[in-house]
Amino acid sequence: MNDALAIAVIVASTRDGRFAPVVTHWLGKHLAQRDDMTFDVIDLVETPVPQVLPAFGAPPAPETEEMLTMVSPRLNAADAFVIVTPEYNHSYPASLKNAIDWHNEEWHAKPVGFVSYGGISGGLRAVEHLRQVMAELNAMTIRETVSFAGGWQKFGEDGQATDPASDTAAKTMLDQLEWWALALRDARRVRPYAG
């Protein structure tokens, strides 16, 4: 599809031995089946973001700017985002907050979907915190989420989710993401977002 939506999949966890690649690979298979979307995986291990922000209003240092070129243009080019995140201490990883805080206009008037995993809550407390942050950045969060409680037990050795309801949830979330991404992309083309 020539006008396919560009989806940036942000892998939040940077922990050694992380489970995120399993979940991201599974999500990627769902995205690859769609002819209305292309996707770019932005793994915060492979594309680290600087940890020290410049003084308020000051430009980033040259070496910082160089690191950001691995992430910022890709976020800017996205029509929508899917964040794959675990839950750490009832919230999301610091690596993700850092990546979010380095950017502003890249998030404006774009939808954000979530795939979360963790213990008994399945990462949903992390998602609820992210909704507050994304609202501050003028992004639209998708109501339907994909959540894996006890995530490491929800995938087989082949990397596929063992509960078919997970595949249904992924399709529902991506369908909603598509609707919002098209609506907001069309709106931005007619009138730049006044953020």
Side-chain angles (χ1 to χ4, degrees):
M1 180 178 261
N2 290 339
D3 209 21
L5 293 161
I7 311 299
V9 177
I10 302 168
V11 184
S13 176
T14 58
R15 176 176 281 175
D16 284 343
R18 64 200 176 129
F19 189 66
V22 173
V23 181
T24 304
H25 182 70
W26 171 82
L27 175 65
K29 287 187 174 183
H30 281 277
L31 285 162
Q33 293 172 3
R34 300 182 69 106
D35 62 4
D36 56 351
M37 296 176 175
T38 61
F39 67 100
D40 175 22
V41 176
I42 301 173
D43 188 331
L44 296 180
V45 167
E46 297 172 3
T47 53
V49 177
Q51 293 187 4
V52 179
L53 292 161
F56 189 75
E63 60 274 12
T64 298
E65 191 94 46
E66 187 175 332
M67 284 182 79
L68 290 172
T69 62
M70 299 296 292
V71 177
S72 303
R74 295 161 71 186
L75 295 178
N76 192 54
D79 295 306
F81 308 96
V82 178
I83 295 175
V84 178
T85 187
E87 181 177 311
Y88 294 169
N89 299 318
H90 289 207
S91 193
Y92 55 93
S95 53
L96 177 58
K97 183 65 163 75
N98 186 50
I100 291 170
D101 288 349
W102 270 103
H103 302 91
N104 191 311
E105 293 180 6
E106 290 86 351
W107 309 110
H108 288 186
K110 295 179 183 179
V112 183
F114 302 101
V115 177
S116 65
Y117 60 94
I120 194 167
S121 77
L124 290 176
R125 293 174 291 212
V127 169
E128 291 310 308
H129 286 179
L130 282 163
R131 289 187 192 282
Q132 296 172 28
V133 173
M134 287 299 165
E136 183 64 20
L137 292 166
N138 300 300
M140 166 65 204
T141 60
I142 302 304
R143 181 187 178 279
E144 298 297 328
T145 63
V146 182
S147 174
F148 294 99
W152 46 93
Q153 299 168 347
K154 300 298 174 79
F155 288 83
E157 291 183 12
D158 60 357
Q160 292 305 301
T162 55
D163 183 354
S166 301
D167 297 311
T168 302
K171 182 180 183 319
T172 299
M173 184 269 290
L174 291 173
D175 286 347
Q176 290 184 2
L177 188 75
E178 178 208 22
W179 191 94
W180 280 104
L182 286 170
L184 292 172
R185 184 176 71 181
D186 289 349
R188 291 192 312 274
R189 287 177 175 175
V190 171
R191 186 177 302 108
Y193 184 71

